[in-house]
């Protein structure tokens, strides 16, 4: 058993606990509070003068897939041979030896989502995983974590140059719709074979991945920067009754009320970015604020390696600079991210029964000068 005592505990499930105690048994949090008895023989970490909070969560990265240092050798981000590759699985590309995993831990990030890039209309299935481990299978928290899709400039640039669909935004939307309809037809054939005790259709890994979205088992996670691309994703999600998470949502501040009324979730970022392409023209530090004010559930991401993953907290700090309340900035990289990812029963806050993913800092994680002094993943000290 392990106890962290005397720290200023930010549970992210209530007000901070000054000089609180957090009791850990095995991989889980046993108790947290101000008057928690510590059994004799318990290992003690004295966090006097320190902040104790849940490990951070980066809701959108390419860690382990777009590897640090390597270029061609370690870049497995985009399968640019077909605009629809729903059957690709992020778990088959993640290298747990990628140096970015260690960077994540030094930055206090204990959970992340990684997946394919945005070259394809349908890129493949994403995975939510812990940042500590030697074998991917042991690090997985949720798979699949969503089906990665993309609208806007990237698919047009990758395929349009070779006069291959999509050349236009109309074609991008059409390809996504066509894929969803094909999956509906595949599902109908399966159900018909069950009802009529006939032979099922030939198995299709591509269709199986899309069917999971149609059945509501995983969300459709659509890369979209520009407001019109975002609304195309919303339109398609409504048409097929899908759970939608908008990835990037760069111009979300221009249409926040519409996103709120449609019940859309967003993962915002990268915030530390220049106007690298036209669809980033209206990037703003106030995007997260606008979504918060409109009531849109959101998290903040780095899109590593676009922004190094250990700058996740700095990304949240910049959103706070843009007007987002400090507490909301903290939640956007902890409990809000966990809820959007469907893993809040495991991580995102310090509560009994949850994974003991904990970081200890010398000051607020939103202060650029902070230092992450200790990191625990499932009760094991890794830093």
């Amino acid at each position: 058993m392990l106890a962290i005592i005397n720290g200023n505990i930010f549970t992210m499930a209530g007000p901070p606990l000054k000089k609180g105690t957090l009791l850990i048994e095995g991989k889980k949090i046993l108790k947290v509070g101000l008057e928690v008895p510590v059994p004799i023989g318990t290992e003690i970490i004295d966090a006097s003068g320190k902040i104790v909070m849940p490990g951070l969560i980066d809701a959108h990265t390419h860690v382990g897939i777009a590897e640090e240092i390597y270029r061609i050798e370690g870049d497995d981000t985009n399968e640019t041979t077909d605009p629809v590759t729903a059957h690709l699985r992020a778990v088959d590309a993640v290298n747990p030896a990628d140096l970015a995993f260690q960077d994540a831990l030094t930055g206090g990030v204990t959970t992340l989502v990684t997946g394919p890039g945005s070259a394809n209309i349908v890129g493949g299935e994403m995975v939510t995983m812990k940042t500590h481990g030697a074998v991917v299978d042991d690090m997985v928290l949720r798979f699949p974590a969503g089906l990665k899709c993309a609208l806007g400039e990237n698919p047009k640039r990758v395929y349009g140059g070779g006069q291959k669909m999509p050349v236009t935004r109309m074609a991008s939307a059409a390809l996504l719709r066509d894929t969803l309809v094909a999956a509906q037809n595949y599902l109908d054939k399966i159900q018909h074979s069950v009802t009529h005790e006939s032979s099922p259709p030939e198995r299709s890994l591509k269709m199986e991945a899309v069917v999971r979205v149609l059945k509501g088992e995983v969300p459709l996670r659509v890369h979209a920067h520009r407001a019109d691309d975002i609304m195309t994703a919303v339109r398609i999600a409504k048409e097929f009754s899908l759970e939608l998470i908008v990835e990037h949502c760069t111009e979300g501040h221009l249409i926040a009320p519409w996103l709120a009324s449609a019940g859309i979730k967003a993962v915002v970022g990268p915030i530390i970015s220049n106007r690298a392409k036209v669809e980033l023209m209206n990037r703003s530090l106030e995007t997260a604020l606008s979504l918060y004010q409109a009531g849109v559930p959101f998290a903040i991401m780095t899109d590593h390696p676009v922004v190094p993953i250990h700058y996740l907290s700095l990304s949240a700090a910049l959103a706070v600079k843009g007007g987002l309340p400090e507490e909301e900035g903290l939640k956007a990289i902890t409990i809000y991210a966990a809820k959007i990812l469907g893993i809040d029963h495991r991580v995102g806050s310090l509560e009994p029964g949850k994974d003991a993913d904990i970081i200890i800092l010398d000051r607020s994680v939103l202060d650029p000068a902070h230092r992450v002094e200790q990191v625990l993943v499932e009760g094991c000290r890794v830093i």
Side-chain angles (χ1 to χ4, degrees), residues 53-363:
M53 65 180 293
L56 309 184
I57 303 171
D58 195 331
H60 178 122
T61 78
H62 306 287
V63 170
I65 295 177
E67 295 180 47
E68 290 282 333
I69 300 175
Y70 300 105
R71 297 295 182 264
I72 295 173
E73 303 90 342
D75 185 1
D76 295 294
T77 315
N78 289 296
E79 180 61 42
T80 55
T81 57
D82 185 339
V84 178
T85 55
H87 51 318
L88 302 188
R89 300 177 176 183
V91 288
D92 296 325
V94 175
N95 180 5
D98 181 10
L99 297 175
F101 283 109
Q102 185 61 34
D103 289 344
L105 291 171
T106 60
V109 180
T110 55
T111 300
L112 58 77
V113 173
T114 189
S118 51
N120 292 351
I121 299 300
V122 184
E125 294 181 309
M126 308 171 82
V127 60
T128 304
M129 58 192 300
K130 298 296 181 74
T131 56
H132 176 70
V135 177
V136 171
D137 306 71
D138 294 337
M139 300 163 71
V140 171
L141 191 54
R142 183 187 180 189
F143 177 78
L147 184 62
K148 174 67 182 297
C149 299
L151 298 173
E153 293 179 20
N154 288 11
K156 287 179 56 179
R157 183 180 65 253
V158 172
Y159 293 99
Q163 291 301 296
K164 182 177 181 179
M165 193 174 183
V167 176
T168 65
R169 279 180 163 82
M170 292 182 291
S172 294
L175 277 172
L176 181 51
R177 281 194 177 93
D178 196 44
T179 302
L180 290 165
V181 169
Q184 284 180 329
N185 294 337
Y186 179 78
L187 182 58
D188 288 344
K189 290 177 182 178
I190 291 175
Q191 293 171 340
H192 182 272
S193 70
V194 173
T195 303
H196 295 81
E197 297 183 350
S198 58
S199 298
E202 183 177 348
R203 188 178 181 190
S204 168
L205 294 179
K206 184 179 289 189
M207 290 299 99
E208 286 179 5
V210 185
V211 163
R212 282 190 276 273
V213 175
L214 291 174
K215 293 171 70 174
E217 296 174 1
V218 298
L220 189 71
R221 303 189 58 170
V222 180
H223 162 114
H225 288 284
R226 225 167 69 174
D228 57 338
D229 293 323
I230 295 170
M231 292 310 298
T232 294
V234 173
R235 191 177 309 114
I236 293 173
K238 283 185 177 180
E239 181 180 341
F240 292 88
S241 300
L242 311 175
E243 179 188 355
L244 172 64
I245 301 175
V246 177
E247 309 290 311
H248 304 297
C249 205
T250 302
E251 291 189 352
H253 56 285
L254 302 180
I255 51 172
W258 286 269
L259 297 179
S261 65
I264 304 303
K265 304 167 187 175
V267 179
V268 179
I271 293 175
I272 307 172
S273 174
N274 65 352
R275 298 178 182 88
K277 50 187 176 179
V278 174
E279 59 189 6
L280 299 181
M281 178 178 66
N282 290 313
R283 66 172 181 79
S284 171
L285 293 183
E286 298 179 6
T287 299
L289 171 63
S290 297
L291 297 177
Y292 162 68
Q293 291 175 331
V296 178
F298 71 97
I300 290 173
M301 59 134 123
T302 62
D303 199 19
H304 178 97
V306 178
V307 172
I309 190 167
H310 47 289
Y311 294 154
L312 177 63
S313 58
L314 180 57
S315 300
L318 288 173
V320 171
K321 181 179 179 180
L324 186 69
E326 186 170 323
E327 183 178 358
E328 298 299 309
L330 292 173
K331 289 181 176 180
I333 52 176
T334 53
I335 190 60
Y336 285 171
K339 288 180 177 179
I340 286 174
L341 300 174
I343 54 172
D344 52 304
H345 62 293
R346 291 279 303 272
V347 295
S349 61
L350 300 181
E351 298 178 85
K354 289 196 175 185
D355 293 359
D357 294 355
I358 301 160
I359 59 175
I360 301 175
L361 313 99
D362 64 343
R363 67 194 78 187

